[in-house]
Amino acid sequence: EDLDKWVISHVLEQAHHAGNNSRILFIHVDGSTLANLNMLSWLSAKLKTFRVSTDQLVIQISESVFYNNKTIALEFCAGLRELGIGLSITKINNSLDPLPLLNQAKPDFTRLDQNLVQDCAYSVHQQQLVKKLINAIHYQEILVGVTGIEDFEILPLLWELGLDFVQGN
């Protein structure tokens, strides 16, 4: 929780100094941060202090953290919506059915686990599985991305499958 607060404070400070209102800042938080009843009011105050718009901030929560803290995570997500802060559920995979979770949490973004798309270049079955999942997530009006993309050649396939954004090194 202390580390999350430190990261958030420094990112918001840098955003303030950069003065670019078009940036969207994705900040990952863990389960202990969700449990802090004062976190949302602290976050709102920090946004005002650094004059960063709520629509510039997206809080990321991993699927596993969400499931491990479901009740408080749902409350936290509702609080984010009330403040106008975006939400991203990350590391979505097909081991658990993510659709009910996404329906409850109502995130703006999701990021698929990179292992889910890793074999898409070699497996038509995996492509069909990923495309079906992306379509189901899009049906809920949620943008879908994936991290860990290191191979430029896979990008056309990922766009064809329906991904909205990728992240890589």
Side-chain angles (χ1 to χ4, degrees), residues 40-53:
L40 292 171
S41 59
W42 178 89
L43 186 54
S44 180
K46 285 292 181 185
L47 285 164
K48 288 175 186 165
T49 297
F50 292 112
R51 292 187 294 258
V52 175
S53 172

Side-chain angles (χ1 to χ4, degrees), residues 40-130:
L40 292 171
S41 59
W42 178 89
L43 186 54
S44 180
K46 285 292 181 185
L47 285 164
K48 288 175 186 165
T49 297
F50 292 112
R51 292 187 294 258
V52 175
S53 172
T54 58
D55 63 359
Q56 286 182 259
L57 184 62
V58 176
I59 297 296
Q60 297 185 143
I61 304 168
S62 72
E63 180 184 34
S64 61
V65 165
F66 192 97
Y67 274 121
N68 290 337
N69 305 277
K70 191 171 183 180
T71 302
I72 58 173
L74 285 171
E75 291 174 21
F76 188 81
C77 293
L80 289 175
R81 275 192 300 281
E82 286 176 21
L83 292 173
I85 297 171
L87 172 66
S88 177
I89 305 292
T90 64
K91 298 185 181 174
I92 298 289
N93 63 46
N94 248 4
S95 62
L96 301 169
D97 182 6
L99 300 177
L101 160 78
L102 297 176
N103 189 43
Q104 289 178 310
K106 301 187 184 333
D108 305 286
F109 303 91
T110 59
R111 283 199 342 228
L112 303 178
D113 188 300
Q114 68 187 42
N115 293 327
L116 194 60
V117 298
Q118 191 171 26
D119 294 330
C120 280
Y122 312 106
S123 169
V124 173
H125 174 72
Q126 191 66 17
Q127 290 173 23
Q128 292 169 343
L129 179 81
V130 170

